[in-house]
Structures are given as C-alpha cells and as structure tokens.
Amino acid sequence: MVAAAVVVVRDYDPKNDCRAVEEVERICEVGPGGKLSIFTDLLGDPICRVRNSPVYQMLVAEVVVQKDGGEWREIVGMIRGCIKTVTCGKKMSRNNGKTGLPLPIYAKVAYILGLRVSPFHRRMGIGLKLVMKMEEWFRENGAEYSYMATENDNQASINLFTHKCGYSNFRRPSILVQPVFAHRVGVSSRVTIIKLSPGDAEVLYRRRFSTTEFFPRDIDSILRNNLSLGTFLAVPKGRYTAETWPGAEEFLADPPESWAVLSVWNSMELFKLEVRGASMKLRGFAKTTRVLDRAFPWLHLPSVPEVFRPFGLHFLYGLGGEGPLSVKFITALCGFAHNLAKDRGCGVVATEVSAADPLSLGIPHWKRLSCADDLWCIKRLGEYYSDGSVGDWTKSQAGLSIFVDPREV
C-alpha cells in the first residue's frame, strides 16, 4: 500500500543532498529572454552562489512517500536566499550641509535566487512552499524587504511571486553579455587605467556611490573577497600613472573632468555556463567565425567563442563615472576587462545595470546573449526601518543607477 506523497521543506544538507540538488539544477535549464537555454554547473557546491554573502540559507523540497513499510524520498526543488544591508534611499543632515552631499538610508534586505522545481513536480505548490519557508527565515533574521530577479517573459515565476506571494514589479535592469573573443580588444590610447587597492576602491565607492540604490553597506567585504579580481579606474592620459597615483582621497579632492570605474568578479570559480538549444545553423556560423579568426588573426574578426560547452564568466560590478567622456571611459574599461577575461580563459564578460543608466551606452554586448529587460520584484516584510524612514521603498521611483551585488549573480 502506498500513502499519499508529502512535500517537506527543510535545510539543505551539503553532505547528503549535493548530488540530488545538482540533478534538479541540471534539468531546470534557464536562459535570458527565452532565446537560448543556459545550463548552470555549480562545480559540486550548490550553496556556493550565496556562501560569500553575510547571512545565507539554502532550502530543499523533498517528496516523502511511505511504501510497503519503508520510506522513499526524492529532492524535487530548492531555493537559496541571503540577507544584507543596502541603500534604499538618501537624506540630508546637518552634519553634511556644508558639502551638500546626501547620506544613504539603509535597509536590511533579503534576496531570493536559485528557485528551482523539477519539471516532473510542478503545479503542486512546491515553489510556493519554498518561498514561504524562505520568507519565514528572512523575518526571523530581521529582513525588512525581500526581492528577486527573473526574466520578464518567465510568466510562471512572475505569477508565483506577484499573484501568490505578494511581490510587486520594482526595477527593470539590463543584463549585458559580451563574448570573449580569440583576439584582444583595443583600448583607447587616450585613457590610463589604474588598478586601485581595496582600500582606495572602498573610499571611492563610499564617497561617490553610497547613495546608489542597492549599494551594499559591506562593500569592503566584497572588494577584499578572493573572487574580486580588482577595481580599475580610467582617467585621461597623462593625469596619473600607477607610479604617480596619489590615492583616492587626493583624487576625489581634485578629480579630472571625466573618469570611470568598475570592478571585476571571478564567477568562473563558482559555476560554469553552457549555451543550449542553439540551432545547427548558429553553431555552424560560430565555428566559421573561429576558423576565419585563426586563419586571419590580423583582421581581429569578432569570432564567437566556444559557448556550446561549459565556460566561465567574469562579472563587472560597481560601474560608475563622471564627466562628458565617462561613457567612452567605461568602454575602455570594458575592453580592459575583456582582455583580462581572455588571459584567464574566461568565456564571457557580463554586467547588469539600470536600463536608464547613461553609462550603459558604453558597454559592449551581444543582444543575442543579453537580456535588455530583466525584472526585479520586491515585497515589504516589516514595518520598521534600520536607519531613518523613506516610507515604503516598494513604491519609490527608480533612479538612474543601481548597484548589483556580484555575490548574487
């Protein structure tokens, strides 16, 4: 006699659950805009995508069946979540009235990622159970808001969060992906690129970008993480060199008219990606570009790398800048990041920015691999605020920029 199946949501056990979670991850292919499927290989550590966050959790959904006096169990879903403190607004104070610079208002925010349910066990309410259990953990740990990201055409995910879980559409950033070509990308000779120390990078980010929405209060932990390959500053040629760099304090006291900055996160140490679902025609075209590029390397043809087998990702975060040439300086930094990825054997370089951010015009990307209209949904979990009051953040207007935490990619 077989009893009815019961779905149990519990903590992930890294010792016993790893293989089963990887199998669910394998059969739940995801991809930007539904154009191509992307398989995520978590390199044998399913919890690695949140392990670098200050506070994190991973839950699994397990179907339990009593049969013939025994018990049969199967993991059919999982969810990851993390909690951090980020900027949700800004305010003026008496202490900063002389400078005229606003101060950030922080909120304790939770982020949901990696929600997966086996295709063979959908429409059973498993996704809802996982989200509700994760939100329970968020509240227990003092989170004021919960948010998640999904593709704008992933109707099943949108329905789950907005119709059943009470989330609302919040922001629509753009995911921009650029393949790493076989040849190096030229970087403007009018730009000098300086690698900043983690200390200088922290000073620069806190002084210039701490009021940017979703700016992490623990930016120092991100910049000093082993996965952060460095922060790079682009300035006009002749202004500074690596040897004459005066430090962030002096730079900010008298900055050049135009400059730009970005940091690079080594996601290839956490997971691999693989493009699936491409037609034979597209595969043939990609192979042809590589053959031509090898035969005529001096032409610097934009050959398509081998993305139809597992490849690594470098993520660009903390993009910012000032001045009339900041867009061109961002382009130079992206070229530098491309060459860094090439030297490290990486397959693609990606970033995520607000669709309204003017710097997005300077970020090279391939439309076929990118998602111009990603969707972030948010939910208010509590009625309290950790630093000041901005009302209900879920109803606030979007700014020009957002800060995308690389730990949540």
Side-chain angles (χ1 to χ4, degrees):
M1 180 177 179
V2 179
V6 176
V7 177
V8 177
V9 176
R10 60 171 176 81
D11 291 354
Y12 166 73
D13 180 354
K15 183 177 180 180
N16 299 312
D17 298 340
C18 181
R19 184 169 296 179
V21 166
E22 283 184 327
E23 177 59 22
V24 175
E25 193 86 43
R26 186 188 65 80
I27 62 177
C28 294
E29 297 176 344
V30 296
K35 300 171 184 176
L36 296 175
S37 297
I38 296 183
F39 169 63
T40 303
D41 174 11
L42 294 171
L43 302 182
D45 184 8
I47 204 170
C48 67
R49 290 182 66 182
V50 291
R51 193 184 296 280
N52 290 286
S53 298
V55 183
Y56 61 89
Q57 172 67 294
M58 181 169 175
L59 304 174
V60 296
E62 192 172 45
V63 172
V64 182
V65 178
Q66 302 293 334
K67 182 178 180 181
D68 300 329
E71 188 177 75
W72 175 81
R73 292 174 174 266
E74 180 185 5
I75 291 177
V76 298
M78 81 281 292
I79 191 172
R80 303 175 184 89
C82 55
I83 301 174
K84 60 183 179 179
T85 301
V86 305
T87 297
C88 64
K90 54 188 176 183
K91 64 180 178 180
M92 299 299 296
S93 74
R94 295 178 182 178
N95 295 330
N96 68 329
K98 293 183 179 180
T99 63
L101 296 176
L103 295 176
I105 298 175
Y106 294 107
K108 199 169 185 180
V109 177
Y111 179 60
I112 291 175
L113 74 161
L115 174 61
R116 303 280 189 271
V117 176
S118 166
F120 311 110
H121 295 84
R122 291 175 182 169
R123 295 180 176 85
M124 296 172 57
I126 295 174
L128 179 60
K129 285 179 179 287
L130 285 164
V131 173
M132 291 178 65
K133 189 67 174 179
M134 184 60 76
E135 286 182 353
E136 182 182 320
W137 180 78
F138 288 161
R139 290 187 177 94
E140 290 173 353
N141 286 272
E144 301 163 51
Y145 295 93
S146 172
Y147 77 105
M148 51 75 68
T150 188
E151 295 82 31
N152 68 326
D153 61 353
N154 188 341
Q155 203 57 52
S157 179
I158 293 172
N159 287 341
L160 169 63
F161 282 94
T162 61
H163 295 173
K164 297 181 180 179
C165 298
Y167 286 70
S168 57
N169 295 354
F170 191 55
R171 301 292 182 256
R172 292 183 178 273
S174 298
I175 301 173
L176 306 178
V177 181
Q178 177 78 344
V180 176
F181 306 129
H183 55 81
R184 300 177 68 83
V185 172
V187 177
S188 174
S189 60
R190 298 182 179 181
V191 177
T192 296
I193 296 177
I194 299 171
K195 183 177 182 179
L196 303 183
S197 68
D200 273 344
E202 180 184 355
V203 169
L204 179 61
Y205 278 126
R206 290 197 188 279
R207 294 282 188 85
R208 281 295 192 267
F209 306 111
S210 64
T211 57
T212 300
E213 203 170 41
F214 287 97
F215 180 86
R217 196 171 193 171
D218 66 336
I219 184 64
D220 53 319
S221 296
I222 299 175
L223 297 170
R224 288 174 169 80
N225 191 291
N226 290 334
L227 296 177
S228 193
L229 298 180
T231 298
F232 304 93
L233 178 71
V235 296
K237 188 75 171 182
R239 182 65 183 262
Y240 301 114
T241 65
E243 292 72 26
T244 62
W245 168 248
E249 296 283 0
E250 289 190 34
F251 170 80
L252 292 172
D254 182 26
E257 183 182 24
S258 296
W259 56 273
V261 65
L262 61 73
S263 299
V264 182
W265 186 264
N266 184 18
S267 297
M268 65 189 297
E269 293 297 324
L270 300 177
F271 55 84
K272 299 288 186 181
L273 301 172
E274 181 181 350
V275 175
R276 292 181 175 178
S279 65
M280 292 301 294
K281 181 179 179 180
L282 181 58
R283 288 174 176 266
F285 169 76
K287 184 176 181 179
T288 300
T289 65
R290 293 193 297 273
V291 171
L292 291 174
D293 197 18
R294 285 194 296 268
F296 309 102
W298 59 87
L299 294 179
H300 284 197
L301 298 173
S303 59
V304 181
E306 181 55 85
V307 294
F308 307 113
R309 63 182 63 177
F311 60 88
L313 164 75
H314 279 183
F315 185 77
L316 310 183
Y317 69 98
L319 283 74
E322 296 179 359
L325 299 179
S326 57
V327 172
K328 292 185 177 181
F329 283 12
I330 278 290
T331 301
L333 285 171
C334 288
F336 176 87
H338 170 279
N339 296 339
L340 176 64
K342 177 185 179 302
D343 293 342
R344 295 178 59 85
C346 193
V348 299
V349 175
T351 190
E352 188 165 13
V353 296
S354 169
D357 194 329
L359 294 180
S360 64
L361 298 174
I363 302 173
H365 63 280
W366 278 26
K367 186 177 180 180
R368 180 69 176 174
L369 296 177
S370 302
C371 178
D373 195 16
D374 198 24
L375 175 62
W376 290 9
C377 298
I378 196 168
K379 177 180 180 178
R380 190 179 185 183
L381 297 177
E383 300 297 327
Y384 47 86
Y385 298 89
S386 52
D387 183 8
S389 176
V390 292
D392 187 350
W393 189 23
T394 67
K395 296 178 173 60
S396 65
Q397 294 294 317
L400 288 179
S401 302
I402 56 172
F403 194 104
V404 180
D405 194 327
R407 297 172 296 190
E408 299 171 357
V409 175

